[in-house]
Amino acid sequence: MQTLREAIDACLTLPDSYEDYPFGLDSWAVIRRHCNKKMFASVYEREGRVWINVKAEPNWGDFWKTVYPAVVPAYHMNKLHWISIILDGSMTDSEILHLIDESYTLVGPKTKKKKSSGTPSDA
């Protein structure tokens, strides 16, 4: 995965996703989930490379930044919850897709927890 289009298409393989261009630039796509309109990736060109911003749990984001030099604090986003992936050829498509998929899951609808009655069962 090296081009803007390839990165966008990779994000669009996830169900319920669509591309949006809220900044009016062909070189900056936001990929969202239909169910809640939340962004799980932004794909753009910067410094001669394609970059992808994805959401990450803070501890995992720190981990990915130490493992992959192509993963850096997110450009133009909250640095605690978002990371940027620079498509410089140092990561495999599979590794990149894994981070995109994690972001997709994080912005998905929240599941409701079952309420406990607070009383022990009579056995």
Side-chain angles (χ1 to χ4, degrees), residues 83-100:
I83 55 177
S84 288
I85 306 163
I86 304 168
L87 302 186
D88 62 3
S90 65
M91 293 177 71
T92 66
D93 286 359
S94 177
E95 292 165 334
I96 296 166
L97 291 170
H98 175 77
L99 295 178
I100 293 169

Side-chain angles (χ1 to χ4, degrees), residues 55-97:
K55 191 165 190 173
E57 292 285 351
N59 289 338
W60 278 111
D62 290 341
F63 171 77
W64 298 128
K65 288 182 278 187
T66 62
V67 172
Y68 300 110
V71 177
V72 297
Y75 176 69
H76 239 306
M77 300 289 291
N78 178 307
K79 310 268 186 271
L80 179 64
H81 296 283
W82 291 83
I83 55 177
S84 288
I85 306 163
I86 304 168
L87 302 186
D88 62 3
S90 65
M91 293 177 71
T92 66
D93 286 359
S94 177
E95 292 165 334
I96 296 166
L97 291 170

Side-chain angles (χ1 to χ4, degrees), residues 14-15 40 54 96-106:
L14 295 166
F40 66 92
V54 293
I96 296 166
L97 291 170
H98 175 77
L99 295 178
I100 293 169
D101 188 56
E102 283 187 7
S103 181
Y104 175 85
T105 300
L106 285 171

